[in-house]
Amino acid sequence: MKIAIPKERRADESRVAASPDTVKKFVQLGFEVVVESGAGIGSAYVDQAYRDAGASIAEGEQAALSGADIVLKVQRPLTAEDGNDELAMMKPGAVLIAHLAALQNKAQAEAFATAGITAFAMELLPRITRAQSMDILSSQSNLAGYKAVVEAANAFGKAFPMMMTAAGTIAPARVLVMGAGVAGLQAIATAKRMGAVVHAFDVRPAVKEQVESLGGKFVEVDPEATKDAETSGGYAKEMSEDYKRKQAAKIAEHAGKADVIVTTALIPGKPAPVLITEDHVKSMKPGSVIVDLAVEAGGNCPLSEFGKVVVKHGVTLIGHANFPSRLAVDASALFAKNLLNFLSPLVDKETKTLKFNWDDEILKGTCVARDGKVVHPMLGGA
């Protein structure tokens, strides 16, 4: 069977779906691997490294995808509306595995079905112990949380740690992290390592212990209201209007004292909740910094601008697109390993082909289209 690794063509994307290490393992499993020339350049993987791992190099995307049984990508393929129809280059019956952003692009699931593609959306992976090594959201969010604090420190005009000098003492920076998921916890850990005083907020009381174990101080709004604030998948639920009012007041209290705010709050399939309002921004000290990791989903702050760094009311708002791609070398290595861990258990050792158990909760949770139909229940499938 042939695995194709095309170059990513969506804007702001430097990652690649396979590393030389994972290519070597795919070859050992019995696959033929074809990598489009230049696919790994943004992640410091040159063509020769892939050749050394056992892959062949194709000149152009059409050559790479032609006849491929499996296509591994970071982001969803381009369509005719995007000006370069990658989906049309894939053969009917091919298996596509990528971050498809399926809940935000439901119409494309129909396109996969019409094209006869068996499509797996890795962002829909169930949050179960067996799937942890396949979890692209965790691996990429971890790096995003780290990078957010580094970007904030770079934009902030003061030092993070307390410094005692002959000329006087520099007070430590105060960092507020909104959302204590994977990205938020890494942001807390990174800011703490850099010497900042860190406070963290999350609607899920269960994360309090994790925040405190990293040296952060947990900000509680209404313990009673948050008893049922977490989905079975470990995500935060949307809260009541009464809770949101109390939350806004608590955030206002802490925002005015913060030097840096990192926001990470996302609700799957919905716009990001607004946590930092314009009034909160106005209350912040001049020179303060906000890094909005939810900007691609509308932002946790309405003043953030996607793909831009802007200054409003004296506060710098960082809204970079695709934070993981800003650490493309490590992000690609982890993403590639996630895909390897997803694909490896599906390989029949005798026939060297894929064998699907459609009753497996991992496959049921990630498959959006197969046999010419949209099959995921969150996309209207059966």
Side-chain angles (χ1 to χ4, degrees):
M1 297 187 80
K2 175 182 173 181
I3 296 177
I5 315 295
K7 186 176 182 179
E8 297 295 320
R9 285 172 166 80
R10 290 198 175 272
D12 305 304
E13 186 56 79
S14 298
R15 293 171 294 175
V16 64
S19 66
D21 283 344
T22 61
V23 164
K24 185 176 182 179
K25 289 182 171 61
F26 283 132
V27 172
Q28 290 171 348
L29 286 170
F31 291 106
E32 173 194 354
V33 182
V34 179
V35 180
E36 182 184 354
S37 181
I41 292 300
S43 301
Y45 298 141
V46 298
D47 290 351
Q48 189 58 48
Y50 286 116
R51 286 195 188 94
D52 292 344
S56 57
I57 303 298
E59 292 298 329
E61 188 172 23
Q62 181 69 67
L65 292 175
S66 179
D69 301 290
I70 303 166
V71 178
L72 302 183
K73 283 182 57 59
V74 176
Q75 295 207 44
R76 61 194 175 92
L78 298 171
T79 61
E81 289 75 17
D82 299 309
N84 179 33
D85 196 347
E86 293 181 296
L87 199 56
M89 300 180 195
M90 300 179 196
K91 73 175 187 179
V95 174
L96 170 65
I97 306 172
H99 186 304
L100 299 179
L103 299 182
Q104 292 77 35
N105 301 278
K106 294 183 179 181
Q108 196 167 33
E110 291 285 356
F112 296 143
T114 301
I117 302 297
T118 299
F120 292 94
M122 292 300 292
E123 75 277 6
L124 300 180
L125 189 79
R127 289 202 159 181
I128 57 175
T129 301
R130 185 163 55 91
Q132 285 180 350
S133 66
M134 313 169 191
D135 190 348
I136 62 167
L137 294 184
S138 291
S139 72
Q140 304 303 292
S141 294
N142 189 51
L143 291 170
Y146 161 80
K147 189 64 171 176
V149 175
V150 173
E151 295 280 352
N154 186 56
F156 188 47
K158 301 179 184 178
F160 263 41
M162 181 175 73
M163 294 184 182
M164 301 181 71
T165 75
T169 299
I170 296 171
R174 294 177 64 92
V175 174
L176 176 63
V177 177
M178 308 294 294
V182 174
L185 291 172
Q186 183 57 250
I188 293 164
T190 302
K192 193 66 182 176
R193 284 196 297 266
M194 293 175 69
V197 173
V198 185
H199 288 77
F201 163 84
D202 196 291
V203 299
R204 299 164 297 173
V207 301
K208 179 180 179 180
E209 186 177 335
Q210 293 171 284
V211 168
E212 292 175 346
S213 71
L214 295 171
K217 299 176 182 178
F218 190 69
V219 178
E220 287 190 282
V221 176
D222 184 347
E224 279 298 314
T226 56
K227 285 182 178 178
D228 190 33
E230 190 172 356
T231 69
S232 59
Y235 295 100
K237 287 183 179 179
E238 191 165 7
M239 303 302 290
S240 68
E241 291 302 317
D242 180 59
Y243 179 86
K244 288 178 181 177
R245 284 191 292 272
K246 293 178 181 178
Q247 170 185 280
K250 184 67 74 170
I251 291 172
E253 176 189 334
H254 286 269
K257 301 174 184 176
D259 296 303
V260 170
I261 298 178
V262 177
T263 70
T264 71
L266 291 166
I267 299 173
K270 295 185 177 182
V274 173
L275 301 179
I276 304 297
T277 65
E278 185 166 6
D279 286 340
H280 291 144
V281 176
K282 288 178 179 178
S283 75
M284 295 177 72
K285 295 172 284 188
S288 299
V289 177
I290 296 173
V291 182
D292 194 340
L293 287 182
V295 70
E296 293 186 49
N300 294 140
C301 177
L303 301 187
S304 302
E305 295 187 26
F306 177 70
K308 296 182 180 179
V309 177
V310 296
V311 178
K312 297 180 181 179
H313 305 300
V315 176
T316 299
L317 293 104
I318 299 174
H320 292 317
N322 199 343
F323 261 86
S325 186
R326 302 176 77 83
L327 290 166
V329 175
D330 289 329
S332 293
L334 296 180
F335 192 99
K337 193 66 179 294
N338 291 147
L339 297 192
L340 172 68
N341 291 337
F342 177 81
L343 199 52
S344 294
L346 305 178
V347 180
D348 186 297
K349 293 181 180 179
E350 293 183 5
T351 63
K352 305 297 183 183
T353 59
L354 297 185
K355 188 175 183 180
F356 298 111
N357 173 13
W358 294 113
D359 291 325
D360 188 296
E361 60 183 316
I362 290 177
L363 298 187
K364 288 169 68 175
T366 54
C367 187
V368 299
R370 68 180 175 95
D371 299 330
K373 298 177 182 178
V374 174
V375 296
H376 202 285
M378 294 179 74
L379 300 173

